[in-house]
Amino acid sequence: VTDLVVHFSASSANTRPLHDVPISAAQRDYSATVGEEAPMPDMSTPIAESNFNKGFRGATVTLWQTRDEDSAAITDLALANSSQVSMMMDMGFHKLDANLFEQSGRGELYLMFKKGSGQPLMDVSTTHDESHGYTAIRGESHGHEVVIYVMYSDDKSTLRRSLTWTPCTGDDSEIVLCAAAAATGTELSSTMMCMLLDPAPKMPPEFTAIADPEDAPERGWAF
């Protein structure tokens, strides 16, 4: 899974009667036709039963997941309410800026995600559970809880590469080397890693006499 999208729409449960255009209980337009979903990329699919506002008169919520072979995968997913977002961002998470409790009067709850931190995310579900090999992630706002189930890849294979570098003769100044792995022809790459190298200057050769100069015959020196 490379991307998640939260889509808001209106339905017959949260529209004002006698109006042609659906309007939510909070007076906000969502879509031109009741129940109509916004067009999504071909690689996106809706997640079943992802309307976290069902029964609470908020916007109709649909969670979509995208699988794109040319994009980096999500590697960690979490839920955070408004008081937790800052802490999660300090931990390296990015915020999906769409409240899962939109206009339901139950506060704010957001999806937070990372990329490049571990095993890739394979699937997101609201109907599968731990018995199907999924892991539950939970979030809560104003006493209302959301549970989402995620499955990560269990592929433990590792691709290793080595880098050899030799400084130029006489170059003993500090140097920073940075490297990242990238898949040719795609936008996939690893996190860039950098290191500071301080080459030691090459020492001059040492000469040691193995004979007394006065007793040594001609060319009797060894080095």
Side-chain angles (χ1 to χ4, degrees):
V1 179
T2 57
D3 197 13
L4 292 169
V5 176
V6 177
H7 173 243
F8 299 132
S9 62
S11 68
S12 57
N14 65 351
T15 57
R16 293 170 59 195
L18 306 180
H19 282 256
D20 294 330
V21 178
I23 302 176
S24 76
Q27 308 294 302
R28 174 175 173 176
D29 293 337
Y30 287 112
S31 59
T33 305
V34 172
E36 179 183 346
E37 298 290 357
M40 293 291 172
D42 293 338
M43 294 172 287
S44 297
T45 55
I47 297 173
E49 299 185 28
S50 58
N51 181 16
F52 306 109
N53 279 340
K54 187 175 182 179
F56 290 97
R57 293 179 54 83
T60 299
V61 179
T62 305
L63 185 59
W64 294 69
Q65 58 185 338
T66 302
R67 293 178 172 88
D68 184 356
E69 293 182 355
D70 294 331
S71 299
I74 293 172
T75 54
D76 201 358
L77 195 64
L79 290 164
N81 59 40
S82 56
S83 66
Q84 298 168 327
V85 167
S86 178
M87 175 189 68
M88 298 294 287
M89 294 183 73
D90 289 342
M91 295 168 59
F93 282 86
H94 299 276
K95 173 186 170 187
L96 191 61
D97 197 14
N99 180 14
L100 299 181
F101 289 163
E102 176 75 6
Q103 297 189 1
S104 68
R106 296 177 294 153
E108 301 173 7
L109 194 65
Y110 299 97
L111 280 167
M112 310 287 292
F113 68 92
K114 285 183 181 180
K115 291 189 175 184
S117 61
Q119 295 298 105
L121 180 64
M122 302 301 294
D123 191 39
V124 179
S125 174
T126 61
T127 55
H128 293 84
D129 56 24
E130 291 91 341
S131 64
H132 294 87
Y134 286 71
T135 300
I137 60 172
R138 289 176 165 82
E140 179 270 337
S141 175
H142 293 199
H144 297 274
E145 185 181 53
V146 165
V147 182
I148 294 177
Y149 299 96
V150 295
M151 177 183 286
Y152 294 96
S153 170
D154 59 359
D155 185 1
K156 303 299 183 181
S157 60
T158 302
L159 179 64
R160 298 184 183 276
R161 291 290 185 267
S162 60
L163 172 67
T164 302
W165 171 75
T166 303
C168 298
T169 302
D171 184 7
D172 58 3
S173 58
E174 291 184 348
I175 187 170
V176 176
L177 286 182
C178 296
T184 304
T186 72
E187 298 179 0
L188 300 178
S189 64
S190 67
T191 302
M192 180 175 290
M193 304 291 289
C194 297
M195 63 181 71
L196 173 66
L197 299 178
D198 186 9
K202 188 175 289 187
M203 300 300 294
E206 294 184 0
F207 299 91
T208 304
I210 62 172
D212 189 326
E214 296 181 357
D215 298 334
E218 188 176 356
R219 301 181 184 276
W221 292 90
F223 305 98

